[in-house]
Amino acid sequence: MTQPMKAQNARIKIDVDRIVGEVDSLIYGNFLEHLGRAVYSGAYDPDSPLADEDGFRKDVIQAAKDLNVTQLRYPGGNFVSNYHWQDGVGSDRVPRMELAWGRLESNEFGTNEFMQFTNKIGAKPYFAVNMGTGTMTEAQRWVEYTNVEEGPYYAELRKKHGYEEPWNIKYWSLGNEMDGFWQIGHLNAEDYAKKARETAKVMQLTDPAISLIAAGASNFRPDANPMHWNRVVLEELKNVVDYLALHIYVGNPDNNYYNFLSTPLVLEERTELVEGLIREIMSRADRGDRPSIKIAWDEWNVWYRARAGESMSGERALEERYNLEDALVVAGFLNAFVRNADIVKMANMAQLVNVIAPMYTNENDMFKQTIYYPLQLFSEHTYGTALDVYVDSETYDTERFFVGLGESQTQQSDVPYLDVSASYKDNGEVIINVVNRHKDKAITTDIISQKGKFTGGFKVYEVNGPDVKAQNNFEETNVETEEKSSIQADGSKVTYSFPAHSYTLIKGKITTD
Ligand code: AHR
């Protein structure tokens, strides 16, 4: 239920001494799964006039570079639980029935093609091993193939395939969503934890420099017990892994804008719960010099339209088309990552291209979906130390609603219309991200510096569109980033009016001496 706006200005207070933690650039990751048109005709399309000399789409590469993708997760997702990496290397590629998403997998694109693509877009690779139909030996041999310089069979096999130098893949996750009944080879928490521990052992013995991610809970259906899963997994792997992976997908199936706009708060609640659990279990861990386990939100996005029936399999699976309200939710997720920068050290928007993605291609063209723009603004500007920001704005209460399809319900009270995060760099630069969730009203806001003064010209970028359902397509761009007139600041307060249904990034300076 929405409440009337107060007459006085809203307030955002920035205090450069109130530090949360360093914003890790790995929160600006994406995901490329063998699914629908993500790999084939998205990233890789050798027959396309838009392909480069190696068969990769040049327009997709450029858009991914502009998006500053810091790391790219591969090869799945549900796909990985029936994927055998040796089918996708060398000259003898083996076509397979792909059981997770109902396709024929040609295996034309595999480990080395992915690494070429990732290098072209300037991202770090993040691999997931098969904990469904796969074995620990298979996982060990993949690390040997990619990371060992020379000597053993699989390192030599890589060289024979034409890749003399190891790829040195640092990030590896131990399976995907193994708590989900939909996962091929789904396990209970105890069985997963043991299998993951032993798989981790042989992978780390092969390359001690790797960093491991355990599959945390992804099943939030009413009959699941996600915190039991997280507890068992963390307990067993407390001295072994570096991250716990969490996933979230939200949607607006009932067409309730205000409920939907509050969904990033659910991510924040889950983050806080898991953070508490990590702290408790870390108090009993023996990790030597290794830092405590962190959270990797390694799948997150809006996904509900292409999430049932025919859109769940085949050639055009999961081709979600996004609008402005989705972009505002995406900005809200990113705000939540920054506000929790002490514990959220990795995140991957699922996915990169065509499949629930910020980019969408056809044979001749590509366009940027609405959700591209907030991610691009954050990944270009929001770095440094995240600050604990005070926000005073009008609030609203939501109804009781489903967070995602088939998931448990939530109800959110006192949701502030202004959703804010901020970070501060050593050079005095301050970056303020503000979503105005109000559908109809601009919110005039005093932005106050608690320590030091705002100085100079503040740059202002805004993502907005004609209405909350506005979309982009091949012909029209209705939602994108606009650079607004800069604000001249001199003193401890600037006043700005955040337009209805907008996301704004303000970048300025604070002088503290
Ligand atoms: O990103 C689409 C799918 O969502 C992934 O394959 C799976 O991990 C999740 O359920």
Side-chain angles (χ1 to χ4, degrees):
M1 153 132 178
T2 60
Q3 284 138 18
M5 304 295 287
K6 274 195 226 152
Q8 72 262 32
N9 291 350
R11 288 176 304 157
I12 295 174
K13 291 187 185 176
I14 307 283
D15 185 339
V16 297
D17 285 336
R18 292 183 69 92
I19 284 168
V20 176
E22 280 302 296
V23 176
D24 197 312
S25 65
L26 293 183
I27 65 170
Y28 305 125
N30 284 77
F31 176 26
L32 186 70
E33 175 167 10
H34 285 254
L35 196 183
R37 297 190 304 127
V39 170
Y40 305 106
S41 44
Y44 184 69
D45 197 358
D47 297 332
S48 165
L50 297 169
D52 70 6
E53 65 289 358
D54 298 312
F56 302 105
R57 283 278 294 242
K58 286 187 276 196
D59 50 350
V60 172
I61 290 172
Q62 190 54 51
K65 281 178 159 172
D66 295 342
L67 190 57
N68 314 297
V69 178
T70 52
Q71 43 102 296
L72 195 57
R73 181 168 177 252
Y74 176 80
N78 297 342
F79 170 81
V80 77
S81 297
N82 74 143
Y83 178 60
H84 300 285
W85 68 268
Q86 289 187 55
D87 293 341
V89 293
S91 54
D92 194 14
R93 303 293 170 105
V94 187
R96 298 278 186 201
M97 272 182 88
E98 200 293 289
L99 303 173
W101 302 109
R103 312 158 27 248
L104 179 73
E105 172 54 58
S106 70
N107 280 307
E108 205 182 318
F109 184 101
T111 302
N112 297 309
E113 290 74 25
F114 173 76
M115 286 309 303
Q116 279 176 286
F117 178 73
T118 305
N119 287 346
K120 282 176 198 256
I121 69 169
K124 291 182 180 148
Y126 167 20
F127 276 39
V129 301
N130 177 352
M131 295 283 290
T133 59
T135 63
M136 55 192 266
T137 304
E138 188 178 2
Q140 182 278 328
R141 287 177 177 169
W142 207 2
V143 179
E144 184 180 312
Y145 182 87
T146 55
N147 287 14
V148 174
E149 206 173 325
E150 60 186 352
Y153 178 79
Y154 289 97
E156 293 300 321
L157 187 65
R158 182 198 66 242
K159 290 190 185 188
K160 214 163 112 194
H161 292 161
Y163 303 93
E164 193 57 35
E165 297 303 321
W167 294 115
N168 292 324
I169 292 151
K170 177 164 179 196
Y171 300 100
W172 294 84
S173 80
L174 298 161
N176 173 72
E177 294 189 352
M178 295 306 296
D179 65 322
F181 59 84
W182 57 87
Q183 200 66 213
I184 294 171
H186 160 56
L187 297 168
N188 68 29
E190 290 73 15
D191 289 347
Y192 168 73
K194 275 187 232 145
K195 187 170 177 182
R197 185 194 64 208
E198 293 310 300
T199 305
K201 189 188 286 173
V202 290
M203 291 170 75
Q204 284 170 329
L205 285 168
T206 308
D207 181 359
I210 61 174
S211 189
L212 291 174
I213 295 96
S218 62
N219 186 359
F220 281 81
R221 282 164 174 77
D223 59 348
N225 187 346
M227 287 307 275
H228 169 75
W229 175 278
N230 288 334
R231 176 176 287 283
V232 171
V233 169
L234 280 169
E235 196 64 68
E236 190 67 49
L237 299 173
K238 60 180 177 294
N239 300 326
V240 176
V241 299
D242 301 297
Y243 301 84
L244 184 76
L246 301 176
H247 293 176
I248 189 168
Y249 292 103
V250 299
N252 188 12
D254 303 329
N255 197 19
N256 185 318
Y257 170 85
Y258 283 108
N259 286 355
F260 182 43
L261 266 280
S262 78
T263 50
L265 299 178
V266 176
L267 173 137
E268 213 151 356
E269 282 168 7
R270 292 183 191 171
T271 299
E272 283 161 15
L273 271 179
V274 173
E275 182 174 16
L277 186 62
I278 291 175
R279 279 192 206 288
E280 186 227 306
I281 292 176
M282 285 301 98
S283 69
R284 285 179 277 108
D286 180 11
R287 296 175 63 85
D289 293 339
R290 285 166 64 202
S292 158
I293 292 176
K294 305 293 187 225
I295 294 175
W297 279 102
D298 68 5
E299 284 186 35
W300 65 271
N301 207 344
V302 173
W303 174 28
Y304 67 104
R305 302 170 183 93
R307 206 174 173 181
E310 286 182 3
S311 58
M312 283 294 277
S313 63
E315 198 47 40
R316 301 200 75 103
L318 277 62
E319 297 207 355
E320 190 94 1
R321 298 288 282 267
Y322 292 103
N323 61 23
L324 174 59
E325 65 185 20
D326 301 325
L328 299 179
V329 168
V330 160
F333 277 134
L334 292 159
N335 269 341
F337 296 147
V338 173
R339 280 197 292 266
N340 294 278
D342 54 334
I343 188 78
V344 179
K345 293 293 183 186
M346 185 191 284
N348 299 74
M349 176 191 268
Q351 299 198 8
L352 182 71
V353 55
N354 291 334
V355 167
I356 45 172
M359 302 167 207
Y360 193 91
T361 66
N362 65 15
E363 299 77 26
N364 318 307
D365 207 356
M366 190 211 82
F367 73 87
K368 293 173 182 165
Q369 297 229 53
T370 60
I371 60 170
Y372 182 97
Y373 295 96
L375 181 58
Q376 197 281 333
L377 270 182
F378 267 86
S379 65
E380 184 160 344
H381 302 285
T382 310
Y383 295 95
T385 306
L387 300 176
D388 181 9
V389 181
Y390 171 84
V391 181
D392 172 28
S393 84
E394 291 295 318
T395 61
Y396 67 90
D397 299 336
T398 74
E399 296 166 348
R400 195 157 180 79
F401 70 100
F402 288 98
V403 179
L405 298 191
E407 269 207 23
S408 57
Q409 292 185 309
T410 188
Q411 191 276 322
Q412 301 289 328
S413 299
D414 301 321
V415 180
Y417 285 108
L418 292 186
D419 179 59
V420 185
S421 74
S423 68
Y424 180 65
K425 294 189 192 159
D426 290 346
N427 62 5
E429 212 168 78
V430 63
I431 301 100
I432 307 167
N433 294 287
V434 181
V435 177
N436 178 4
R437 293 180 168 120
H438 207 292
K439 202 173 173 182
D440 311 303
K441 294 210 169 92
I443 300 183
T444 304
T445 307
D446 294 334
I447 307 173
I448 299 154
S449 176
Q450 298 284 91
K451 183 181 178 191
K453 288 183 171 173
F454 294 127
T455 46
F458 278 29
K459 283 185 172 291
V460 182
Y461 305 91
E462 182 184 309
V463 178
N464 207 340
D467 63 83
V468 297
K469 301 294 182 192
Q471 295 187 325
N472 298 340
N473 56 46
F474 288 108
E475 284 78 41
E476 294 175 314
T477 305
N478 295 307
V479 176
E480 62 185 326
T481 303
E482 195 187 329
E483 181 161 2
K484 311 295 279 187
S485 318
S486 60
I487 314 170
Q488 271 311 311
D490 184 16
S492 57
K493 182 170 100 175
V494 291
T495 300
Y496 190 77
S497 178
F498 296 100
H501 54 65
S502 64
Y503 156 56
T504 305
L505 183 145
I506 298 179
K507 186 163 146 177
K509 253 198 161 159
I510 293 181
T511 324
T512 46
D513 46 27

